[in-house]
Amino acid sequence: MTAHRALVRRTALSVTAGAAALVLAACGSDSGSGGHDMGSMESDSSPTATASAKAGDHNDADVDFSKEMIQHHRQAVDMAELAADRASSQEVKDLATKVKGAQDPEIKTMSGWLTSWGEDVPEEMAGAMDHDMSSAMPGMMSGTDMDKLEKASGAEFDTMFLTMMVEHHEGAVEMAETEKADGTYGPATKLADDVVTAQTAEIKQMNKMLGKS
């Protein structure tokens, strides 16, 4: 009887241990499943986070375009303001007003982008030396060019202004085409496209005013 009871007890313990193992295995499976669900939730959220980040993505081309075009536009505005005072043709004065009206807001827009990206906004060009340093950009006038324009008047000014502004616009179009090809920030590439459209039309208008087409 004693041996029999011992056998029954060992059998019962074995069954209990087996049941416990099954319970633990089940718990482990649930835990693993739960971990997988958390992983799935994190995975599901990551595309949204990525899409959100991409909406504001910009690259070095966007930064360079904004910094350089701000300076480029500022010089065009300076030239336009000279035309408002010195041009003899009302048509030239009207064109200058149009140039200033379009480019002033774009300067503010690009300055806002640079600030939001943690980049420095270029300082205003203070004199001939600053113009010379910036003249490496396509279409930029040198300090000497700007001095000549400032000293001109009447019909001579009109011709000089139009000739310089055609070159200036052609440089802006070149810069904008580069941004369209290399930039990733949507608003910047859109502005570049607008620059190409508007300034190409103004180049044709100015060449006509110069009697070239």
Side-chain angles (χ1 to χ4, degrees), residues 184-207:
T184 59
Y185 187 60
T189 56
K190 174 62 169 61
L191 187 146
D193 191 52
D194 292 343
V195 166
V196 171
T197 300
Q199 297 200 24
T200 298
E202 288 174 358
I203 289 169
K204 291 179 181 178
Q205 178 186 355
M206 289 186 287
N207 279 329

Side-chain angles (χ1 to χ4, degrees), residues 64 88 108 115:
D64 290 344
S88 62
K108 292 176 183 177
T115 299

Side-chain angles (χ1 to χ4, degrees), residues 53-202:
K54 285 184 177 180
D57 276 356
H58 67 280
N59 62 10
D60 289 344
D62 299 314
V63 174
D64 290 344
F65 169 74
S66 299
K67 287 187 173 184
E68 293 180 0
M69 192 61 83
I70 283 172
Q71 297 178 76
H72 208 273
H73 274 17
R74 282 174 178 164
Q75 189 177 71
V77 169
D78 288 345
M79 293 167 68
E81 289 175 345
L82 283 174
D85 292 333
R86 297 180 175 274
S88 62
S89 165
Q90 186 59 48
E91 191 175 9
V92 172
K93 288 179 181 286
D94 290 343
L95 174 67
T97 299
K98 182 180 178 183
V99 168
K100 178 176 169 62
Q103 298 194 23
D104 256 342
E106 291 177 349
I107 291 170
K108 292 176 183 177
T109 296
M110 290 183 285
S111 296
W113 294 340
L114 290 172
T115 299
S116 71
W117 298 336
E119 300 283 348
D120 293 331
V121 176
E123 295 182 3
E124 295 273 1
M125 290 183 289
M129 183 177 294
D130 289 331
H131 284 290
D132 287 339
M133 289 175 65
S134 299
S135 63
M137 285 183 282
M140 285 287 280
M141 299 297 109
S142 67
T144 301
D145 293 331
M146 294 298 290
D147 285 343
K148 288 180 179 178
L149 184 64
E150 191 170 351
K151 292 173 182 175
S153 60
E156 180 189 13
F157 177 92
D158 293 353
T159 299
M160 191 178 296
F161 170 80
L162 291 171
T163 301
M164 288 183 175
M165 193 60 84
V166 165
E167 183 179 347
H168 203 270
H169 273 25
E170 287 172 344
V173 169
E174 180 182 336
M175 293 163 65
E177 291 287 7
T178 298
E179 166 62 14
K180 288 173 63 178
D182 300 338
T184 59
Y185 187 60
T189 56
K190 174 62 169 61
L191 187 146
D193 191 52
D194 292 343
V195 166
V196 171
T197 300
Q199 297 200 24
T200 298
E202 288 174 358

